[in-house]
Amino acid sequence: MANKVYAIQFGFDTKKNQKIENIIVNTWAECLTYVKGVKGAKYKSFESINDAKSYLNEGNRMLKKSDENYPKDCLHAYVDGSYNSSDGRYSYGVVCVNNNIVEYIESNSGKESSEKNVRQIAGELKGAVRAVEYALRQKHKKVVLFHDYEGIAHHATGAWDRKEESSMEYYNKMQNLMNSGIEVIFVKVDSHTGDLFNELVDEMCKECLGITSDKTVEKWLKKNIIEVSNDEVKGQILKIAPNSNNIIISGEEKPIKEYIESDKTINKNDEIAPEIRFEQIVNLYKSNDKEGKKVISKLLSKEKEKFILYLLNSIQ
Protein backbone atom coordinates (compact mmCIF):
# COMPACT_ATOMS: atom_id res chain seq x y z
CA MET A 1 0.00 0.00 0.00
CA ALA A 2 1.32 3.45 -0.97
CA ASN A 3 2.41 5.88 1.71
CA LYS A 4 -0.19 8.46 2.56
CA VAL A 5 0.22 12.23 2.57
CA TYR A 6 -1.88 14.63 4.61
CA ALA A 7 -3.26 17.87 3.18
CA ILE A 8 -4.13 20.52 5.77
CA GLN A 9 -6.39 23.35 4.66
CA PHE A 10 -6.44 24.87 8.13
CA GLY A 11 -4.58 24.08 11.34
CA PHE A 12 -2.43 25.71 13.99
CA ASP A 13 1.25 25.52 14.95
CA THR A 14 1.33 25.87 18.74
CA LYS A 15 5.14 26.13 18.84
CA LYS A 16 5.24 29.12 16.50
CA ASN A 17 1.80 30.37 17.63
CA GLN A 18 0.56 30.84 14.09
CA LYS A 19 -2.08 29.54 11.69
CA ILE A 20 -1.25 26.73 9.28
CA GLU A 21 -2.96 26.88 5.90
CA ASN A 22 -2.72 24.80 2.72
CA ILE A 23 0.26 22.58 3.50
CA ILE A 24 1.01 18.92 2.79
CA VAL A 25 2.86 16.77 5.34
CA ASN A 26 4.13 13.21 5.01
CA THR A 27 3.17 11.63 8.31
CA TRP A 28 0.10 11.36 10.49
CA ALA A 29 2.18 12.32 13.52
CA GLU A 30 3.15 15.65 11.94
CA CYS A 31 -0.41 16.27 10.79
CA LEU A 32 -1.67 15.62 14.30
CA THR A 33 0.56 18.32 15.77
CA TYR A 34 -1.24 20.89 13.59
CA VAL A 35 -4.86 19.71 13.88
CA LYS A 36 -5.36 18.01 17.25
CA GLY A 37 -7.64 20.11 19.44
CA VAL A 38 -7.76 22.91 16.85
CA LYS A 39 -11.28 24.27 16.39
CA GLY A 40 -12.28 24.31 12.73
CA ALA A 41 -9.25 22.30 11.58
CA LYS A 42 -9.65 20.96 8.03
CA TYR A 43 -7.48 18.15 6.72
CA LYS A 44 -7.60 14.92 4.76
CA SER A 45 -5.34 12.00 3.87
CA PHE A 46 -4.45 11.00 0.31
CA GLU A 47 -2.43 8.33 -1.42
CA SER A 48 -1.60 10.71 -4.29
CA ILE A 49 0.21 14.02 -3.96
CA ASN A 50 -1.81 15.37 -6.91
CA ASP A 51 -5.09 14.53 -5.16
CA ALA A 52 -3.81 16.30 -2.06
CA LYS A 53 -2.98 19.42 -4.08
CA SER A 54 -6.41 19.34 -5.73
CA TYR A 55 -8.02 19.22 -2.28
CA LEU A 56 -6.10 22.31 -1.21
CA ASN A 57 -7.00 24.12 -4.44
CA GLU A 58 -10.70 23.32 -3.97
CA GLY A 59 -10.54 24.81 -0.50
CA ASN A 60 -9.13 28.02 -1.95
CA ARG A 61 -11.98 28.49 -4.41
CA MET A 62 -14.08 30.49 -1.99
CA LEU A 63 -13.39 34.24 -2.17
CA LYS A 64 -14.40 37.00 0.25
CA LYS A 65 -16.55 39.87 -0.94
CA SER A 66 -14.60 42.33 1.20
CA ASP A 67 -11.48 41.57 -0.88
CA GLU A 68 -13.23 42.85 -4.04
CA ASN A 69 -11.36 40.42 -6.28
CA TYR A 70 -14.35 38.67 -7.87
CA PRO A 71 -15.60 39.29 -11.47
CA LYS A 72 -17.85 42.33 -11.84
CA ASP A 73 -18.86 41.85 -15.49
CA CYS A 74 -21.19 38.87 -15.14
CA LEU A 75 -24.35 37.70 -13.39
CA HIS A 76 -24.28 38.01 -9.59
CA ALA A 77 -26.56 35.71 -7.58
CA TYR A 78 -27.20 36.13 -3.85
CA VAL A 79 -28.56 33.08 -2.01
CA ASP A 80 -29.75 32.46 1.52
CA GLY A 81 -31.96 30.24 3.66
CA SER A 82 -34.08 30.52 6.77
CA TYR A 83 -35.85 28.23 9.21
CA ASN A 84 -39.02 28.44 11.32
CA SER A 85 -38.57 26.39 14.48
CA SER A 86 -42.28 26.56 15.30
CA ASP A 87 -43.36 24.43 12.34
CA GLY A 88 -40.12 22.94 11.03
CA ARG A 89 -40.29 24.66 7.65
CA TYR A 90 -37.25 25.99 5.79
CA SER A 91 -37.10 28.56 3.02
CA TYR A 92 -34.65 29.50 0.30
CA GLY A 93 -34.08 32.69 -1.63
CA VAL A 94 -32.30 33.80 -4.81
CA VAL A 95 -31.67 37.38 -5.94
CA CYS A 96 -29.93 37.77 -9.31
CA VAL A 97 -28.30 41.09 -10.21
CA ASN A 98 -26.78 42.16 -13.52
CA ASN A 99 -25.11 45.56 -13.95
CA ASN A 100 -26.59 46.59 -10.60
CA ILE A 101 -30.12 45.85 -11.86
CA VAL A 102 -32.15 43.21 -9.99
CA GLU A 103 -33.35 40.97 -12.81
CA TYR A 104 -34.72 37.92 -10.98
CA ILE A 105 -36.02 36.98 -7.53
CA GLU A 106 -37.12 33.53 -6.41
CA SER A 107 -38.12 32.35 -2.96
CA ASN A 108 -40.13 29.46 -1.57
CA SER A 109 -40.55 27.26 1.49
CA GLY A 110 -40.67 23.55 2.18
CA LYS A 111 -40.37 20.99 4.92
CA GLU A 112 -37.36 18.71 5.17
CA SER A 113 -38.16 15.15 6.21
CA SER A 114 -34.58 14.18 7.06
CA GLU A 115 -33.74 14.80 10.71
CA LYS A 116 -30.09 15.24 9.82
CA ASN A 117 -30.67 18.52 8.02
CA VAL A 118 -29.91 21.45 10.27
CA ARG A 119 -32.41 24.28 10.12
CA GLN A 120 -31.83 26.75 7.28
CA ILE A 121 -28.94 24.79 5.72
CA ALA A 122 -31.46 22.90 3.57
CA GLY A 123 -32.64 26.25 2.21
CA GLU A 124 -29.12 27.59 1.72
CA LEU A 125 -28.16 24.60 -0.42
CA LYS A 126 -31.37 24.69 -2.47
CA GLY A 127 -30.97 28.41 -3.09
CA ALA A 128 -27.50 27.85 -4.53
CA VAL A 129 -28.74 25.12 -6.86
CA ARG A 130 -31.67 27.25 -8.06
CA ALA A 131 -29.37 30.21 -8.71
CA VAL A 132 -27.03 28.20 -10.95
CA GLU A 133 -30.02 26.62 -12.72
CA TYR A 134 -31.36 30.10 -13.47
CA ALA A 135 -27.97 31.22 -14.80
CA LEU A 136 -27.86 28.21 -17.12
CA ARG A 137 -31.42 28.85 -18.36
CA GLN A 138 -30.38 32.38 -19.25
CA LYS A 139 -27.32 30.96 -21.07
CA HIS A 140 -24.76 32.66 -18.83
CA LYS A 141 -21.24 31.26 -19.00
CA LYS A 142 -20.26 32.59 -15.59
CA VAL A 143 -22.03 33.39 -12.32
CA VAL A 144 -20.73 34.79 -9.04
CA LEU A 145 -22.53 33.11 -6.15
CA PHE A 146 -22.68 35.24 -2.99
CA HIS A 147 -23.47 33.34 0.22
CA ASP A 148 -22.94 33.62 3.97
CA TYR A 149 -22.73 29.86 4.68
CA GLU A 150 -19.29 28.46 3.81
CA GLY A 151 -20.72 25.05 2.98
CA ILE A 152 -22.25 26.51 -0.20
CA ALA A 153 -18.73 26.58 -1.62
CA HIS A 154 -17.00 23.76 0.23
CA HIS A 155 -19.72 21.12 -0.21
CA ALA A 156 -20.08 22.00 -3.90
CA THR A 157 -16.37 21.69 -4.64
CA GLY A 158 -15.75 18.68 -2.40
CA ALA A 159 -13.45 20.55 -0.03
CA TRP A 160 -15.60 19.41 2.89
CA ASP A 161 -16.44 15.79 3.61
CA ARG A 162 -20.02 14.87 2.80
CA LYS A 163 -21.45 12.99 5.78
CA GLU A 164 -25.13 13.87 5.43
CA GLU A 165 -27.58 12.99 2.69
CA SER A 166 -28.34 16.65 1.95
CA SER A 167 -24.67 17.54 1.37
CA MET A 168 -24.17 14.47 -0.83
CA GLU A 169 -27.17 15.37 -3.00
CA TYR A 170 -26.03 18.99 -3.16
CA TYR A 171 -22.50 18.01 -4.24
CA ASN A 172 -23.83 15.78 -7.02
CA LYS A 173 -26.27 18.44 -8.30
CA MET A 174 -23.68 21.22 -8.25
CA GLN A 175 -21.04 19.08 -9.93
CA ASN A 176 -23.51 18.25 -12.72
CA LEU A 177 -24.42 21.92 -13.11
CA MET A 178 -20.79 23.11 -13.09
CA ASN A 179 -19.96 20.49 -15.72
CA SER A 180 -22.75 21.82 -17.95
CA GLY A 181 -20.72 24.71 -19.33
CA ILE A 182 -20.90 27.35 -16.61
CA GLU A 183 -18.20 28.70 -14.30
CA VAL A 184 -19.31 29.26 -10.70
CA ILE A 185 -17.31 31.66 -8.52
CA PHE A 186 -18.09 31.32 -4.81
CA VAL A 187 -17.90 34.49 -2.70
CA LYS A 188 -18.44 34.62 1.07
CA VAL A 189 -20.49 37.55 2.39
CA ASP A 190 -20.64 38.37 6.08
CA SER A 191 -24.30 38.24 7.09
CA HIS A 192 -26.16 41.30 8.40
CA THR A 193 -23.42 43.79 7.59
CA GLY A 194 -25.53 46.11 5.45
CA ASP A 195 -24.90 44.48 2.06
CA LEU A 196 -28.14 45.46 0.27
CA PHE A 197 -28.64 42.40 -1.93
CA ASN A 198 -27.63 40.02 0.85
CA GLU A 199 -30.16 41.73 3.13
CA LEU A 200 -32.76 41.52 0.36
CA VAL A 201 -32.43 37.76 -0.10
CA ASP A 202 -32.38 37.26 3.68
CA GLU A 203 -35.66 39.17 4.08
CA MET A 204 -37.24 37.31 1.15
CA CYS A 205 -36.51 34.03 2.98
CA LYS A 206 -38.03 35.32 6.20
CA GLU A 207 -41.10 36.63 4.36
CA CYS A 208 -41.81 33.12 3.04
CA LEU A 209 -41.97 31.79 6.61
CA GLY A 210 -43.76 34.75 8.16
CA ILE A 211 -40.72 35.67 10.25
CA THR A 212 -40.36 39.34 11.18
CA SER A 213 -37.19 40.97 9.83
CA ASP A 214 -35.32 44.14 10.78
CA LYS A 215 -36.80 45.90 7.71
CA THR A 216 -33.29 46.85 6.56
CA VAL A 217 -34.32 46.95 2.88
CA GLU A 218 -37.35 49.12 3.57
CA LYS A 219 -35.20 51.57 5.56
CA TRP A 220 -32.58 51.65 2.79
CA LEU A 221 -35.24 52.40 0.17
CA LYS A 222 -36.44 55.47 2.03
CA LYS A 223 -33.27 57.27 0.94
CA ASN A 224 -32.05 55.29 -2.07
CA ILE A 225 -33.22 53.92 -5.39
CA ILE A 226 -33.09 50.30 -6.49
CA GLU A 227 -33.36 49.45 -10.19
CA VAL A 228 -35.19 46.30 -11.33
CA SER A 229 -35.80 44.62 -14.69
CA ASN A 230 -39.60 44.31 -14.66
CA ASP A 231 -42.87 44.61 -12.72
CA GLU A 232 -42.66 41.06 -11.41
CA VAL A 233 -39.36 41.72 -9.66
CA LYS A 234 -40.70 45.03 -8.38
CA GLY A 235 -43.71 43.23 -6.92
CA GLN A 236 -41.45 40.77 -5.11
CA ILE A 237 -39.54 43.60 -3.40
CA LEU A 238 -42.79 45.38 -2.51
CA LYS A 239 -43.70 42.35 -0.39
CA ILE A 240 -41.02 43.34 2.11
CA ALA A 241 -41.03 47.10 1.45
CA PRO A 242 -44.71 47.82 0.65
CA ASN A 243 -44.59 51.60 0.95
CA SER A 244 -41.55 52.26 -1.22
CA ASN A 245 -41.70 54.57 -4.23
CA ASN A 246 -38.01 54.14 -5.02
CA ILE A 247 -38.15 50.83 -6.89
CA ILE A 248 -37.54 51.87 -10.50
CA ILE A 249 -37.98 49.67 -13.57
CA SER A 250 -34.89 49.89 -15.78
CA GLY A 251 -35.31 52.31 -18.68
CA GLU A 252 -38.48 53.81 -17.28
CA GLU A 253 -38.56 57.57 -16.76
CA LYS A 254 -40.54 58.78 -13.77
CA PRO A 255 -40.78 62.09 -11.89
CA ILE A 256 -38.90 60.83 -8.86
CA LYS A 257 -37.02 63.90 -7.73
CA GLU A 258 -39.74 64.64 -5.17
CA TYR A 259 -38.42 61.98 -2.81
CA ILE A 260 -35.24 64.03 -2.48
CA GLU A 261 -36.92 67.40 -2.06
CA SER A 262 -39.46 66.16 0.49
CA ASP A 263 -37.23 63.88 2.55
CA LYS A 264 -38.21 64.86 6.08
CA THR A 265 -35.35 62.87 7.58
CA ILE A 266 -32.88 65.52 6.37
CA ASN A 267 -32.26 68.24 8.91
CA LYS A 268 -30.63 71.35 7.45
CA ASN A 269 -28.84 71.96 10.74
CA ASP A 270 -27.42 68.44 10.78
CA GLU A 271 -23.79 68.33 9.60
CA ILE A 272 -24.27 65.08 7.71
CA ALA A 273 -27.38 66.27 5.82
CA PRO A 274 -25.51 67.71 2.75
CA GLU A 275 -23.67 64.41 2.23
CA ILE A 276 -26.92 62.47 2.42
CA ARG A 277 -28.56 64.86 -0.06
CA PHE A 278 -25.64 64.70 -2.47
CA GLU A 279 -25.62 60.90 -2.33
CA GLN A 280 -29.31 60.91 -3.18
CA ILE A 281 -28.74 63.24 -6.12
CA VAL A 282 -26.03 60.93 -7.48
CA ASN A 283 -28.33 57.90 -7.14
CA LEU A 284 -31.12 59.80 -8.87
CA TYR A 285 -28.82 60.82 -11.76
CA LYS A 286 -27.68 57.20 -12.21
CA SER A 287 -31.25 55.94 -12.52
CA ASN A 288 -32.75 58.95 -14.35
CA ASP A 289 -30.23 61.46 -15.68
CA LYS A 290 -32.88 63.94 -16.89
CA GLU A 291 -34.47 64.30 -13.47
CA GLY A 292 -31.03 64.34 -11.89
CA LYS A 293 -29.99 67.29 -14.07
CA LYS A 294 -33.12 69.18 -13.06
CA VAL A 295 -32.32 68.78 -9.37
CA ILE A 296 -28.69 69.83 -9.90
CA SER A 297 -29.76 72.90 -11.88
CA LYS A 298 -31.82 74.09 -8.89
CA LEU A 299 -28.87 74.03 -6.49
CA LEU A 300 -27.65 77.41 -5.29
CA SER A 301 -24.12 78.50 -6.27
CA LYS A 302 -22.60 77.57 -2.90
CA GLU A 303 -24.47 74.26 -2.92
CA LYS A 304 -23.11 73.48 -6.38
CA GLU A 305 -19.59 74.24 -5.13
CA LYS A 306 -20.08 71.84 -2.21
CA PHE A 307 -21.55 69.24 -4.57
CA ILE A 308 -18.50 69.45 -6.85
CA LEU A 309 -16.19 69.05 -3.86
CA TYR A 310 -18.26 66.08 -2.71
CA LEU A 311 -17.83 64.42 -6.13
CA LEU A 312 -14.09 65.12 -6.19
CA ASN A 313 -13.64 63.65 -2.71
CA SER A 314 -15.60 60.54 -3.69
CA ILE A 315 -13.13 59.65 -6.46
CA GLN A 316 -9.99 60.01 -4.37
Side-chain angles (χ1 to χ4, degrees), residues 72-84:
K72 310 294 193 301
D73 59 347
C74 63
L75 182 69
H76 289 181
Y78 292 75
V79 301
D80 205 353
S82 193
Y83 179 77
N84 191 330

Side-chain angles (χ1 to χ4, degrees), residues 261 264-274 277 303:
E261 296 173 344
K264 296 179 181 179
T265 64
I266 297 179
N267 183 343
K268 291 183 179 179
N269 295 321
D270 191 340
E271 291 183 1
I272 199 171
R277 180 174 170 78
E303 284 184 303

